[in-house]
Amino acid sequence: QNALYQSCHEDENDVQTISHKCQVVGREHYEQMTRSKKYQDRQDLYYLAGTYDPTTGRLVTADGVPVLC
């Protein structure tokens, strides 16, 4: 939950589809933040889980471990 994967894929989106800003941090930082009462209920906090390459379909965790799908 709240994991995001970065990618070089691009889309064109109408500005009206953007609802709000979010914060993306590393997993360790995310876990520290969510243990704090200040951040526990935030719906706009995510962590970077890894990278997705749309040309190869390859998914790699932030630690560099390939994910087999």
Side-chain angles (χ1 to χ4, degrees):
Q1 186 176 351
N2 288 18
L4 294 179
Y5 286 82
Q6 66 183 348
S7 175
C8 61
H9 176 77
E10 293 182 16
D11 278 328
E12 282 192 31
N13 296 301
D14 192 74
V15 71
Q16 296 169 341
T17 63
I18 300 170
S19 63
H20 61 281
K21 291 190 319 183
C22 69
Q23 185 174 1
V24 181
V25 296
R27 179 143 191 180
E28 258 184 56
H29 194 199
Y30 174 82
E31 289 175 358
Q32 289 172 355
M33 291 173 79
T34 55
R35 283 193 289 271
S36 162
K37 265 192 170 180
K38 179 180 176 183
Y39 295 101
Q40 279 180 345
D41 296 325
R42 286 201 36 193
Q43 301 295 313
D44 62 346
L45 180 61
Y46 299 86
Y47 69 91
L48 180 61
T51 303
Y52 172 69
D53 184 341
T55 58
T56 63
R58 188 170 180 197
L59 198 58
V60 179
T61 68
D63 298 328
V65 178
V67 176
L68 301 175
C69 301

